[in-house]
Amino acid sequence: MEPRQEHDPKVEQTANPNRQFDQLDGGSPKISVVTGMLLGALVGGLLALLSSSNREQTKQSLSNAKSSVGGIVNEVKQDPAGKASQVIEQVKSASTKIQEVSTDVQNVYEKVVGEVDTVKEDVTKIVETAQEAKSDLQNIGEKVVEAKDTALGQDTTTTDSSSDSNKQVPPTA
């Protein structure tokens, strides 16, 4: 039998099978994913500001945002209830418009569905009419062949007139 080692990796692996997935604390500080993302964004932003045109654009955007927010804050400070009621009215107005749009969309949908049904019926009628016209044209063709045969003095007494319409009989002299 082998002597037992103090820190045998095989024994530790069998005792703790998921140990391989544990983080070993090597004394380094732990950085969470969110912290890493924020640090990456900060470094990326700083690199983007190396360009003078980007710096000027950023300054202009920040000063515009500051003045807009300052104006809104002043309005809210002067009349908080009025601003709140104005926002509520804007939301109600938007809600009413959304309901109107929803109703319009529903009406368009119903109209399209109705038109599709009408088109389907019309197509069915057109197909039936085309089939009737086809059979009428076949009958007319057969009668023309019979008239030609009669005019040429040929015998038109056959059992299947549709087969005669496809055959051409040479005229007899």
Side-chain angles (χ1 to χ4, degrees), residues 10-78:
K10 290 183 181 178
V11 173
E12 289 180 15
Q13 178 67 23
T14 55
N16 299 311
N18 292 329
R19 175 76 186 205
Q20 62 187 355
F21 300 112
D22 290 346
Q23 292 283 339
L24 297 176
D25 190 14
S28 62
K30 292 185 178 179
I31 298 176
S32 70
V33 173
V34 174
T35 306
M37 288 173 51
L38 291 175
L39 286 173
L42 179 66
V43 169
L46 290 175
L47 288 175
L49 290 177
L50 289 177
S51 167
S52 63
S53 63
N54 284 347
R55 282 194 305 270
E56 289 301 318
Q57 213 172 20
T58 303
K59 283 180 190 177
Q60 187 66 31
S61 297
L62 288 175
S63 88
N64 289 344
K66 181 181 174 183
S67 64
S68 296
V69 169
I72 292 172
V73 168
N74 286 335
E75 287 179 24
V76 170
K77 281 183 182 178
Q78 290 173 0

Side-chain angles (χ1 to χ4, degrees), residues 57-116:
Q57 213 172 20
T58 303
K59 283 180 190 177
Q60 187 66 31
S61 297
L62 288 175
S63 88
N64 289 344
K66 181 181 174 183
S67 64
S68 296
V69 169
I72 292 172
V73 168
N74 286 335
E75 287 179 24
V76 170
K77 281 183 182 178
Q78 290 173 0
D79 186 20
K83 194 63 175 173
S85 64
Q86 180 185 1
V87 169
I88 290 171
E89 287 300 317
Q90 288 174 337
V91 169
K92 284 181 181 178
S93 176
S95 174
T96 303
K97 289 184 184 203
I98 289 172
Q99 287 176 344
E100 290 173 4
V101 168
S102 174
T103 302
D104 291 345
V105 168
Q106 182 67 29
N107 291 339
V108 168
Y109 174 76
E110 290 171 359
K111 184 177 180 181
V112 167
V113 168
E115 291 296 323
V116 167

Side-chain angles (χ1 to χ4, degrees), residues 124-137:
T124 303
K125 289 177 184 177
I126 290 170
V127 168
E128 290 172 359
T129 303
Q131 288 174 344
E132 289 174 10
K134 179 182 173 185
S135 68
D136 290 346
L137 288 173

